[in-house]
């Protein structure tokens, strides 16, 4: 019975670690947990399948302007080609989508630009 309890504790810890890994895969690489689970279950031969399911289109979401609102408004204005009022309205309406359907490199570049201006940004 003690062995089963120890095994159950190990299993619970393993599940927690897998959940953390799924979160990292989604946030950092755009891989949904279901796709990661399929790749792991299929084994090393499924490397191509996991790559095929990797996310290729990203939305840049402004979560907040942080403490440098004016700099963020200017960055949004330039990145989106908006007028000053429209950019301010977008920043004031955070969370809001700044741009949709971007390639990973372009989305990461925009995210970096907005973060350098002081914004809190995420990729979806």
């Amino acid at each position: 019975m003690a062995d089963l309890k120890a095994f159950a504790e190990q299993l619970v810890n393993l599940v927690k670690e897998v959940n953390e890994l799924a979160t990292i895969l989604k946030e950092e690489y755009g891989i949904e947990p279901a796709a990661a689970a399929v790749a792991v279950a299929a084994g090393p031969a499924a490397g191509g399948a996991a790559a095929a399911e990797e996310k290729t289109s990203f939305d840049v979401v402004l979560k907040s302007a942080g403490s440098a609102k004016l700099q963020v408004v200017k960055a949004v204005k330039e990145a989106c080609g908006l007028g000053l009022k429209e950019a301010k309205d977008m920043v004031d309406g955070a969370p809001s989508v700044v741009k949709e359907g971007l390639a990973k490199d372009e989305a990461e570049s925009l995210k970096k630009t907005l973060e350098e201006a002081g914004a809190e940004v995420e990729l979806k």
Side-chain angles (χ1 to χ4, degrees):
M1 189 67 148
D3 288 339
L4 286 177
K5 246 185 179 183
F7 179 70
E9 287 178 24
Q10 288 176 336
L11 187 58
V12 167
N13 289 333
L14 180 61
V15 168
K16 287 179 183 177
E17 289 178 11
V18 167
N19 285 334
E20 289 177 31
L21 175 61
T23 300
I24 291 168
L25 288 173
K26 183 176 181 182
E27 291 175 354
E28 298 292 324
Y29 303 102
I31 300 172
E32 293 295 325
V38 169
V40 169
E53 297 212 25
E54 187 171 342
K55 189 171 180 176
T56 59
S57 178
F58 295 86
D59 297 341
V60 178
V61 179
L62 175 68
K63 292 172 70 175
S64 78
S67 61
K69 182 177 173 181
L70 181 58
Q71 294 293 17
V72 173
V73 169
K74 287 179 181 180
V76 168
K77 177 184 179 293
E78 187 173 313
C80 298
L82 299 173
L84 189 57
K85 181 181 180 344
E86 290 83 7
K88 181 186 176 298
D89 289 345
M90 181 181 285
V91 171
D92 287 342
S96 57
V97 176
V98 177
K99 281 196 171 182
E100 296 178 307
L102 299 176
K104 185 175 182 177
D105 291 343
E106 189 177 358
E108 287 175 346
S109 176
L110 178 55
K111 180 178 186 276
K112 182 179 177 185
T113 298
L114 294 173
E115 287 176 339
E116 287 173 351
E120 185 181 344
V121 182
E122 73 176 327
L123 300 181
K124 288 192 172 186

